Amino acid sequence: MISLTVNGQPREVAADPNMPLLWVIRDLLGLTGTKFGCGVAQCGACTVHLNGEAVRSCVTKVSRAAGQQVTTIEGLSTNNNHPLQLAWQEADVPQCGYCQSGQLMSAAVLLRENPNPTDQDIDDAMSGNICRCGTYPRIRAAIHQAAKMHQGGAKS
Amino acid sequence: MKKLIFISLVLFTGALVVLSFKSGNDEPGSYPVIRKDSVASVKAFKQVYTVLMSARCMNCHPAGNVPLQGDDNHLHTMLPQRGIDGKGVYAMKCANCHQPTNTPGLHTPPGNPNWHLPPANIKMVFQGRTPRQLAKQLIDPNQNGHKDIKKLIEHADDGLVLSGWNPGEGRKLPPMSHAAFKKAWITWLTTGAFAPSK
Amino acid sequence: MNRRNFIQSGAILGGGLLISFTIPQANKLSALAKPVAAGGFTPNAFLNIGTDNTVTVTLSHVEMGQGIWTTLPMLLAEELDVDLDQIIVRHGGVDKAYNHTIYGIQITGGSSSTWSEFDRYRNAGATARTLLTQAAAQRSGVAVTNCKTEKGFVLAGDKKFSYGELAGDAAKLPAPQQVTLRPPSDWKYIGKGSKRVDAQVKTNGEAKFGMDMQFSGLLTAMVAHAPVFGGKVKSFDATKAKAVPGVQQVVEIPGGVAVIADHFWAAQQGRKALQVTWDNGPGTALNTTSQTIAYKRLAATKGVSAQAKGDADAALAKSAKHISAEYVFAYLAHAPMEPLNCTAKIDGDHCEIWAGTQLPGVDQANVAKLLNMKPENIKINIPFLGGGFGRRATPASDFVIEAVHIAKASGKPVKMVWTREDDMKSGYYRPFFVHNVQVGLDEKGMPMAWNHNIVGQSIMGEAKMFGPPPPVDDTSVEGVKGSPYLNTVPDHYVGLHTTKEVVPILWFRSVGNTHTAYAMETIVDEMAYAAGQDPVDYRQTLLKSSPRHLAALNLVAAKANWKTKLAPGRFKGVAVHEAFGSYVAIIAEVSIVDNAVRVHKVDCAIDCGLAVNPDGVKAQMESGIIFGLTMALYGELTLKDGQVQQNNFYDYRIARMNESPEINVYIVDSKEKMGGAGECAVPPTAPAIVNAIFAATGKRIYNLPIMNTKLIKQA
């Protein structure tokens, strides 16, 4: 059994320590908001927070998460109200929506570490997340918007 | 004055090494300058250079702030940035993809518990350096992370350096074995760390 | 046609109102004759108003990013007079009622959902509003003419009834034969737009895609496919695969071997351990290099006539100047972010499918045929599609059938999942094409002769969905055939050589226009330079009888300040193209950095007629431009000995955030016929970029992708 904390909940999974965290999250814990896109850390659809860092869960063995804190899109906020989620909705970012969990989890680390990111910062943080629908211009705008909201006192 | 102190330090560590050699203890970091030999030194460095300029070493010692990738040293796709500590930035920190060990499969992220680039204040650029430039840079404390000769020798067994010889599936190895590299590295350093003329 | 004849209304059990439509030749809607379970999903209703005030809109088209989940409910809400956030939206299952109003089958494609449903969904809303108003009039004794609706209520004199209160009564009334649609001046949604209805569930992980199917007893299956197209299993040894913990079963299916396991990872480990010997068949003969040579040779000869006028050869011989170009376009994978998958559960003489599909009716028929069941016994559930781009509309239902084969062979419900590598290597691509174009210019530099031969596989021919293969498949030549440029050329010939290959092919976002627009818009650019004219001016001259092309071109030229000199090192290129009834003009601004192109800014103008949801149109332009950018920069699959050489996003790159240009979209204020949006920005993007590259480097790029050409800035 491997113990880990997922979205604040202690969880135990009977998994091979080599099993990627992605499949533990999706197939064993049933949290399907985290997506499979490439399996080789190329697309970022599987991005979750491991102790606050935006790891690609498709290449992260569950053993690395043992005893650690994992946050998935389902745990990004209590009520879909992270400034980024609000900005995403306001800017109509999602199209097919499949990559957006990963995009949001990446953007959340950016915003936490840099409350007022420049376009270059956004490139530096977000180029690991592919969106085949091409929502990049709106993601960029929404991150700027969330930064404003954040500074305006919205809770993170 | 500085030179004198340096020499005496070298002599001091040299004395230690002789002892340790005798005791059969090959604890790293205790090699002396045995003898200055510019010919042997330069010859050894030329071997060292082929390793340092191979993809496995150079890719993490890029000229810019983005690591290189692949046997052809192309810019790392998605352009992850060095960051201040060399460990990436924001959602693109090295360890977000590069695990403590190699990920199985072709074209998957190679791993190391300490995967990083040189930090922003000492970039230790290999890419584009001539043998002479690189040799001089390697022994310049201001450019090598304040490594003395002992630390430099130790660095040959650094985990990240070693990982060059465990690059993950499908990646080309450096042009010689780690043992051969280490031998050349130590020979270069212990024969006076002479820089080639070009 | 008098669409109102096909409106039907009826009751759902529990007294609600449902509104449905059918097409003229369709059977009487069976579901309407019998009561529907209380609160249950009404499979063939467009609109369902429950007594509890729930308003459910069922979509005849599927949401794959294009925003139809928002646009169709907008159309309905406009007439029904409800707020969009009061509406519950669902995908319809398979029903003739959901057949495309023009294409006659149930399909989401051709950038047609909005314009083809513009009347039907408004009529659904108007019919319900009429019935609800009548019901309120009856109940209150107030004349219908003195009743009005307001955001989910009917106001009758001083009385106010919610739609839910009236739904039961309304359901008993006969459907009106005539409804009055609101005049444009009254529109609250149409032309103004709305936020996406699905944005909430797509920001918190709630949105369910096919990949997210989970239920008790459901296993995950992964298939080892033949590495060469057309290959077959010779033999296999599953011993090691079965030894992987979590692997339940290994079964052979046509074209491969499936490993069935408790979860994805076990299935993947099992597939790695599986040993299969393949009979590769004749497909190994296929190589991109030899294919290129063969196609080029063919393209130099006259193909079957797609469009001809005068004597192109003779005119070419007389022309003052001759421009010759040979274009090569690679196979392309759609690569939607959600890899293909399908869940299948067979239960006696019934089968239930969960699949993100653009062609559910065809899938139903194909599954029914395979299982020898009645089509109505095949239930198709459609979750959100994680991207489609045409790949999820396979006439052969390839990935659906594969899942059903596995479910059948194993006797278990399975979720069949493709990895990214499967998705990239297992086929259904934009076909490989070669164009050979010879243009003759007169003394003034205007085209007087045009010989254009195209070589490639036929999508429609191989789809076999629309009858026997046509001698000239329009999807191979669309964009050249009917080009407004050709209409100005007195002597021209468009020929097509249709080839056969083992590689499965399919429509890919904007279909034939992916290559035809490139050939047309780059050679016209070449012609402009040859004529010593500005590329926009030259196009304006040629397009003087094509007002909608001109409208888009003029708008973008004005907005992008085409004639204004750019900062040093920056260069512009232009392209304009019509596809799916919309006219898109693009100006791309680029620079050359480290022998590669960087696209900084893209300005785009579209004339799509009425833009029902303007921000949705803008989103689709952005999307199409970035899709086109990827295609231009990186799009290429190559074959060696019948095997696709690319694997995943590291060798089939997709444009990323750091490559994403600033995009400005302008919509022409147009009263013209409505066109599409989803695909229309793809065609002109690549040519605008390479035309800008020409301005920067003096080099024409005839073979995409651009990454294969080392770019050198002009001194």
Side-chain angles (χ1 to χ4, degrees), chain C residues 546-558 575-577 582-586 604-607 666 668:
Chain C
S546 307
R548 299 187 71 183
H549 285 86
L550 268 185
L553 180 63
N554 292 346
L555 180 61
V556 80
V576 56
H577 189 79
S582 286
Y583 300 74
V584 179
I586 278 178
C604 165
I606 176 171
D607 176 359
Y666 307 97
V668 175

PDB file of all heavy atoms in Angstrom, chain C residues 546-558 575-577 582-586 604-607 666 668:
ATOM      1  N   SER C 546     -15.244  39.339 -57.062  1.00  0.00           N
ATOM      2  CA  SER C 546     -15.494  38.452 -55.922  1.00  0.00           C
ATOM      3  C   SER C 546     -15.626  39.291 -54.650  1.00  0.00           C
ATOM      4  O   SER C 546     -14.681  39.422 -53.875  1.00  0.00           O
ATOM      5  CB  SER C 546     -14.336  37.452 -55.767  1.00  0.00           C
ATOM      6  OG  SER C 546     -14.104  36.789 -56.984  1.00  0.00           O
ATOM      7  N   PRO C 547     -16.810  39.890 -54.477  1.00  0.00           N
ATOM      8  CA  PRO C 547     -16.956  40.911 -53.427  1.00  0.00           C
ATOM      9  C   PRO C 547     -16.653  40.408 -52.007  1.00  0.00           C
ATOM     10  O   PRO C 547     -16.157  41.171 -51.193  1.00  0.00           O
ATOM     11  CB  PRO C 547     -18.423  41.350 -53.549  1.00  0.00           C
ATOM     12  CG  PRO C 547     -19.093  40.276 -54.348  1.00  0.00           C
ATOM     13  CD  PRO C 547     -18.050  39.684 -55.239  1.00  0.00           C
ATOM     14  N   ARG C 548     -16.940  39.137 -51.745  1.00  0.00           N
ATOM     15  CA  ARG C 548     -16.741  38.678 -50.366  1.00  0.00           C
ATOM     16  C   ARG C 548     -15.262  38.415 -50.086  1.00  0.00           C
ATOM     17  O   ARG C 548     -14.791  38.646 -48.974  1.00  0.00           O
ATOM     18  CB  ARG C 548     -17.602  37.448 -50.082  1.00  0.00           C
ATOM     19  CG  ARG C 548     -19.093  37.765 -50.244  1.00  0.00           C
ATOM     20  CD  ARG C 548     -19.978  36.636 -49.805  1.00  0.00           C
ATOM     21  NE  ARG C 548     -19.958  36.476 -48.359  1.00  0.00           N
ATOM     22  CZ  ARG C 548     -20.621  35.505 -47.710  1.00  0.00           C
ATOM     23  NH1 ARG C 548     -21.309  34.608 -48.396  1.00  0.00           N
ATOM     24  NH2 ARG C 548     -20.567  35.427 -46.398  1.00  0.00           N
ATOM     25  N   HIS C 549     -14.540  37.903 -51.080  1.00  0.00           N
ATOM     26  CA  HIS C 549     -13.089  37.803 -50.921  1.00  0.00           C
ATOM     27  C   HIS C 549     -12.515  39.197 -50.663  1.00  0.00           C
ATOM     28  O   HIS C 549     -11.688  39.400 -49.780  1.00  0.00           O
ATOM     29  CB  HIS C 549     -12.421  37.250 -52.188  1.00  0.00           C
ATOM     30  CG  HIS C 549     -12.597  35.783 -52.403  1.00  0.00           C
ATOM     31  ND1 HIS C 549     -13.684  35.247 -53.043  1.00  0.00           N
ATOM     32  CD2 HIS C 549     -11.803  34.727 -52.066  1.00  0.00           C
ATOM     33  CE1 HIS C 549     -13.566  33.930 -53.106  1.00  0.00           C
ATOM     34  NE2 HIS C 549     -12.430  33.581 -52.509  1.00  0.00           N
ATOM     35  N   LEU C 550     -12.995  40.145 -51.478  1.00  0.00           N
ATOM     36  CA  LEU C 550     -12.496  41.516 -51.386  1.00  0.00           C
ATOM     37  C   LEU C 550     -12.811  42.135 -50.028  1.00  0.00           C
ATOM     38  O   LEU C 550     -11.982  42.834 -49.444  1.00  0.00           O
ATOM     39  CB  LEU C 550     -13.128  42.378 -52.470  1.00  0.00           C
ATOM     40  CG  LEU C 550     -12.382  42.500 -53.795  1.00  0.00           C
ATOM     41  CD1 LEU C 550     -13.118  43.501 -54.688  1.00  0.00           C
ATOM     42  CD2 LEU C 550     -10.933  42.953 -53.578  1.00  0.00           C
ATOM     43  N   ALA C 551     -14.018  41.844 -49.536  1.00  0.00           N
ATOM     44  CA  ALA C 551     -14.432  42.435 -48.262  1.00  0.00           C
ATOM     45  C   ALA C 551     -13.469  42.004 -47.157  1.00  0.00           C
ATOM     46  O   ALA C 551     -13.024  42.823 -46.338  1.00  0.00           O
ATOM     47  CB  ALA C 551     -15.860  42.010 -47.918  1.00  0.00           C
ATOM     48  N   ALA C 552     -13.144  40.719 -47.141  1.00  0.00           N
ATOM     49  CA  ALA C 552     -12.233  40.205 -46.114  1.00  0.00           C
ATOM     50  C   ALA C 552     -10.829  40.759 -46.325  1.00  0.00           C
ATOM     51  O   ALA C 552     -10.166  41.208 -45.382  1.00  0.00           O
ATOM     52  CB  ALA C 552     -12.219  38.677 -46.141  1.00  0.00           C
ATOM     53  N   LEU C 553     -10.390  40.740 -47.589  1.00  0.00           N
ATOM     54  CA  LEU C 553      -9.034  41.204 -47.899  1.00  0.00           C
ATOM     55  C   LEU C 553      -8.863  42.686 -47.561  1.00  0.00           C
ATOM     56  O   LEU C 553      -7.872  43.082 -46.935  1.00  0.00           O
ATOM     57  CB  LEU C 553      -8.745  40.953 -49.389  1.00  0.00           C
ATOM     58  CG  LEU C 553      -7.371  41.381 -49.899  1.00  0.00           C
ATOM     59  CD1 LEU C 553      -6.259  40.605 -49.209  1.00  0.00           C
ATOM     60  CD2 LEU C 553      -7.280  41.189 -51.419  1.00  0.00           C
ATOM     61  N   ASN C 554      -9.836  43.484 -47.959  1.00  0.00           N
ATOM     62  CA  ASN C 554      -9.730  44.925 -47.723  1.00  0.00           C
ATOM     63  C   ASN C 554      -9.743  45.245 -46.232  1.00  0.00           C
ATOM     64  O   ASN C 554      -8.997  46.109 -45.763  1.00  0.00           O
ATOM     65  CB  ASN C 554     -10.873  45.674 -48.425  1.00  0.00           C
ATOM     66  CG  ASN C 554     -10.734  45.604 -49.945  1.00  0.00           C
ATOM     67  OD1 ASN C 554      -9.687  45.245 -50.462  1.00  0.00           O
ATOM     68  ND2 ASN C 554     -11.811  45.923 -50.648  1.00  0.00           N
ATOM     69  N   LEU C 555     -10.581  44.524 -45.514  1.00  0.00           N
ATOM     70  CA  LEU C 555     -10.672  44.788 -44.071  1.00  0.00           C
ATOM     71  C   LEU C 555      -9.347  44.449 -43.389  1.00  0.00           C
ATOM     72  O   LEU C 555      -8.832  45.226 -42.586  1.00  0.00           O
ATOM     73  CB  LEU C 555     -11.831  43.985 -43.456  1.00  0.00           C
ATOM     74  CG  LEU C 555     -12.036  44.179 -41.952  1.00  0.00           C
ATOM     75  CD1 LEU C 555     -12.348  45.641 -41.611  1.00  0.00           C
ATOM     76  CD2 LEU C 555     -13.178  43.275 -41.438  1.00  0.00           C
ATOM     77  N   VAL C 556      -8.796  43.293 -43.721  1.00  0.00           N
ATOM     78  CA  VAL C 556      -7.565  42.905 -43.024  1.00  0.00           C
ATOM     79  C   VAL C 556      -6.404  43.802 -43.442  1.00  0.00           C
ATOM     80  O   VAL C 556      -5.549  44.165 -42.620  1.00  0.00           O
ATOM     81  CB  VAL C 556      -7.244  41.402 -43.217  1.00  0.00           C
ATOM     82  CG1 VAL C 556      -6.595  41.112 -44.566  1.00  0.00           C
ATOM     83  CG2 VAL C 556      -6.357  40.896 -42.087  1.00  0.00           C
ATOM     84  N   ALA C 557      -6.386  44.206 -44.718  1.00  0.00           N
ATOM     85  CA  ALA C 557      -5.307  45.080 -45.187  1.00  0.00           C
ATOM     86  C   ALA C 557      -5.354  46.417 -44.460  1.00  0.00           C
ATOM     87  O   ALA C 557      -4.321  46.975 -44.077  1.00  0.00           O
ATOM     88  CB  ALA C 557      -5.406  45.275 -46.697  1.00  0.00           C
ATOM     89  N   ALA C 558      -6.578  46.891 -44.229  1.00  0.00           N
ATOM     90  CA  ALA C 558      -6.722  48.165 -43.523  1.00  0.00           C
ATOM     91  C   ALA C 558      -6.321  48.019 -42.056  1.00  0.00           C
ATOM     92  O   ALA C 558      -5.576  48.825 -41.502  1.00  0.00           O
ATOM     93  CB  ALA C 558      -8.165  48.657 -43.625  1.00  0.00           C
ATOM     94  N   ALA C 575      -2.779  36.275 -47.513  1.00  0.00           N
ATOM     95  CA  ALA C 575      -3.499  35.233 -48.242  1.00  0.00           C
ATOM     96  C   ALA C 575      -4.990  35.413 -47.979  1.00  0.00           C
ATOM     97  O   ALA C 575      -5.383  35.906 -46.918  1.00  0.00           O
ATOM     98  CB  ALA C 575      -3.054  33.849 -47.802  1.00  0.00           C
ATOM     99  N   VAL C 576      -5.794  35.021 -48.962  1.00  0.00           N
ATOM    100  CA  VAL C 576      -7.257  35.069 -48.789  1.00  0.00           C
ATOM    101  C   VAL C 576      -7.845  33.833 -49.449  1.00  0.00           C
ATOM    102  O   VAL C 576      -7.391  33.401 -50.500  1.00  0.00           O
ATOM    103  CB  VAL C 576      -7.857  36.385 -49.362  1.00  0.00           C
ATOM    104  CG1 VAL C 576      -7.484  36.576 -50.830  1.00  0.00           C
ATOM    105  CG2 VAL C 576      -9.379  36.418 -49.190  1.00  0.00           C
ATOM    106  N   HIS C 577      -8.833  33.237 -48.768  1.00  0.00           N
ATOM    107  CA  HIS C 577      -9.381  31.987 -49.307  1.00  0.00           C
ATOM    108  C   HIS C 577     -10.797  31.783 -48.790  1.00  0.00           C
ATOM    109  O   HIS C 577     -11.095  32.080 -47.633  1.00  0.00           O
ATOM    110  CB  HIS C 577      -8.498  30.813 -48.871  1.00  0.00           C
ATOM    111  CG  HIS C 577      -8.844  29.514 -49.557  1.00  0.00           C
ATOM    112  ND1 HIS C 577      -8.441  29.212 -50.837  1.00  0.00           N
ATOM    113  CD2 HIS C 577      -9.563  28.449 -49.128  1.00  0.00           C
ATOM    114  CE1 HIS C 577      -8.888  28.010 -51.172  1.00  0.00           C
ATOM    115  NE2 HIS C 577      -9.575  27.516 -50.153  1.00  0.00           N
ATOM    116  N   SER C 582     -17.292  30.620 -46.005  1.00  0.00           N
ATOM    117  CA  SER C 582     -16.763  31.825 -45.375  1.00  0.00           C
ATOM    118  C   SER C 582     -15.472  32.242 -46.052  1.00  0.00           C
ATOM    119  O   SER C 582     -14.746  31.412 -46.605  1.00  0.00           O
ATOM    120  CB  SER C 582     -16.521  31.593 -43.877  1.00  0.00           C
ATOM    121  OG  SER C 582     -17.753  31.559 -43.202  1.00  0.00           O
ATOM    122  N   TYR C 583     -15.210  33.530 -45.986  1.00  0.00           N
ATOM    123  CA  TYR C 583     -14.091  34.133 -46.715  1.00  0.00           C
ATOM    124  C   TYR C 583     -13.123  34.695 -45.685  1.00  0.00           C
ATOM    125  O   TYR C 583     -13.497  35.580 -44.911  1.00  0.00           O
ATOM    126  CB  TYR C 583     -14.630  35.246 -47.640  1.00  0.00           C
ATOM    127  CG  TYR C 583     -15.627  34.690 -48.639  1.00  0.00           C
ATOM    128  CD1 TYR C 583     -16.920  34.329 -48.234  1.00  0.00           C
ATOM    129  CD2 TYR C 583     -15.278  34.481 -49.961  1.00  0.00           C
ATOM    130  CE1 TYR C 583     -17.826  33.773 -49.128  1.00  0.00           C
ATOM    131  CE2 TYR C 583     -16.182  33.947 -50.865  1.00  0.00           C
ATOM    132  CZ  TYR C 583     -17.446  33.585 -50.445  1.00  0.00           C
ATOM    133  OH  TYR C 583     -18.332  33.029 -51.328  1.00  0.00           O
ATOM    134  N   VAL C 584     -11.931  34.145 -45.657  1.00  0.00           N
ATOM    135  CA  VAL C 584     -10.983  34.552 -44.624  1.00  0.00           C
ATOM    136  C   VAL C 584      -9.717  35.108 -45.275  1.00  0.00           C
ATOM    137  O   VAL C 584      -9.130  34.472 -46.155  1.00  0.00           O
ATOM    138  CB  VAL C 584     -10.623  33.382 -43.691  1.00  0.00           C
ATOM    139  CG1 VAL C 584      -9.604  33.819 -42.641  1.00  0.00           C
ATOM    140  CG2 VAL C 584     -11.879  32.832 -43.004  1.00  0.00           C
ATOM    141  N   ALA C 585      -9.331  36.292 -44.833  1.00  0.00           N
ATOM    142  CA  ALA C 585      -8.072  36.884 -45.292  1.00  0.00           C
ATOM    143  C   ALA C 585      -7.141  37.029 -44.103  1.00  0.00           C
ATOM    144  O   ALA C 585      -7.581  37.377 -42.998  1.00  0.00           O
ATOM    145  CB  ALA C 585      -8.332  38.243 -45.928  1.00  0.00           C
ATOM    146  N   ILE C 586      -5.882  36.727 -44.334  1.00  0.00           N
ATOM    147  CA  ILE C 586      -4.913  36.736 -43.243  1.00  0.00           C
ATOM    148  C   ILE C 586      -3.658  37.493 -43.654  1.00  0.00           C
ATOM    149  O   ILE C 586      -3.174  37.349 -44.787  1.00  0.00           O
ATOM    150  CB  ILE C 586      -4.597  35.283 -42.818  1.00  0.00           C
ATOM    151  CG1 ILE C 586      -5.706  34.799 -41.874  1.00  0.00           C
ATOM    152  CG2 ILE C 586      -3.219  35.170 -42.152  1.00  0.00           C
ATOM    153  CD1 ILE C 586      -5.581  33.403 -41.399  1.00  0.00           C
ATOM    154  N   CYS C 604      -6.547  38.874 -39.037  1.00  0.00           N
ATOM    155  CA  CYS C 604      -7.464  37.998 -39.753  1.00  0.00           C
ATOM    156  C   CYS C 604      -8.802  38.692 -39.909  1.00  0.00           C
ATOM    157  O   CYS C 604      -9.298  39.306 -38.966  1.00  0.00           O
ATOM    158  CB  CYS C 604      -7.628  36.711 -38.932  1.00  0.00           C
ATOM    159  SG  CYS C 604      -9.018  35.665 -39.413  1.00  0.00           S
ATOM    160  N   ALA C 605      -9.363  38.619 -41.111  1.00  0.00           N
ATOM    161  CA  ALA C 605     -10.723  39.128 -41.313  1.00  0.00           C
ATOM    162  C   ALA C 605     -11.561  38.020 -41.933  1.00  0.00           C
ATOM    163  O   ALA C 605     -11.088  37.279 -42.790  1.00  0.00           O
ATOM    164  CB  ALA C 605     -10.706  40.348 -42.228  1.00  0.00           C
ATOM    165  N   ILE C 606     -12.787  37.928 -41.471  1.00  0.00           N
ATOM    166  CA  ILE C 606     -13.686  36.890 -41.999  1.00  0.00           C
ATOM    167  C   ILE C 606     -15.011  37.504 -42.388  1.00  0.00           C
ATOM    168  O   ILE C 606     -15.567  38.334 -41.654  1.00  0.00           O
ATOM    169  CB  ILE C 606     -13.896  35.739 -40.979  1.00  0.00           C
ATOM    170  CG1 ILE C 606     -14.934  34.721 -41.521  1.00  0.00           C
ATOM    171  CG2 ILE C 606     -14.304  36.249 -39.588  1.00  0.00           C
ATOM    172  CD1 ILE C 606     -15.061  33.450 -40.715  1.00  0.00           C
ATOM    173  N   ASP C 607     -15.488  37.083 -43.546  1.00  0.00           N
ATOM    174  CA  ASP C 607     -16.870  37.333 -43.916  1.00  0.00           C
ATOM    175  C   ASP C 607     -17.584  35.983 -43.863  1.00  0.00           C
ATOM    176  O   ASP C 607     -17.403  35.148 -44.743  1.00  0.00           O
ATOM    177  CB  ASP C 607     -16.957  37.937 -45.327  1.00  0.00           C
ATOM    178  CG  ASP C 607     -18.410  38.120 -45.774  1.00  0.00           C
ATOM    179  OD1 ASP C 607     -19.331  37.763 -44.988  1.00  0.00           O
ATOM    180  OD2 ASP C 607     -18.628  38.610 -46.897  1.00  0.00           O
ATOM    181  N   TYR C 666     -11.066  40.272 -37.139  1.00  0.00           N
ATOM    182  CA  TYR C 666     -12.075  41.268 -37.500  1.00  0.00           C
ATOM    183  C   TYR C 666     -13.165  40.585 -38.312  1.00  0.00           C
ATOM    184  O   TYR C 666     -12.871  39.807 -39.228  1.00  0.00           O
ATOM    185  CB  TYR C 666     -11.426  42.392 -38.320  1.00  0.00           C
ATOM    186  CG  TYR C 666     -10.218  42.976 -37.615  1.00  0.00           C
ATOM    187  CD1 TYR C 666      -8.932  42.545 -37.932  1.00  0.00           C
ATOM    188  CD2 TYR C 666     -10.371  43.924 -36.601  1.00  0.00           C
ATOM    189  CE1 TYR C 666      -7.823  43.048 -37.277  1.00  0.00           C
ATOM    190  CE2 TYR C 666      -9.277  44.429 -35.924  1.00  0.00           C
ATOM    191  CZ  TYR C 666      -7.993  43.991 -36.268  1.00  0.00           C
ATOM    192  OH  TYR C 666      -6.911  44.489 -35.604  1.00  0.00           O
ATOM    193  N   VAL C 668     -16.264  40.888 -40.829  1.00  0.00           N
ATOM    194  CA  VAL C 668     -16.890  41.785 -41.802  1.00  0.00           C
ATOM    195  C   VAL C 668     -18.374  41.921 -41.448  1.00  0.00           C
ATOM    196  O   VAL C 668     -19.049  40.918 -41.196  1.00  0.00           O
ATOM    197  CB  VAL C 668     -16.736  41.219 -43.236  1.00  0.00           C
ATOM    198  CG1 VAL C 668     -17.498  42.078 -44.244  1.00  0.00           C
ATOM    199  CG2 VAL C 668     -15.267  41.096 -43.615  1.00  0.00           C
TER     200      VAL C 668
END
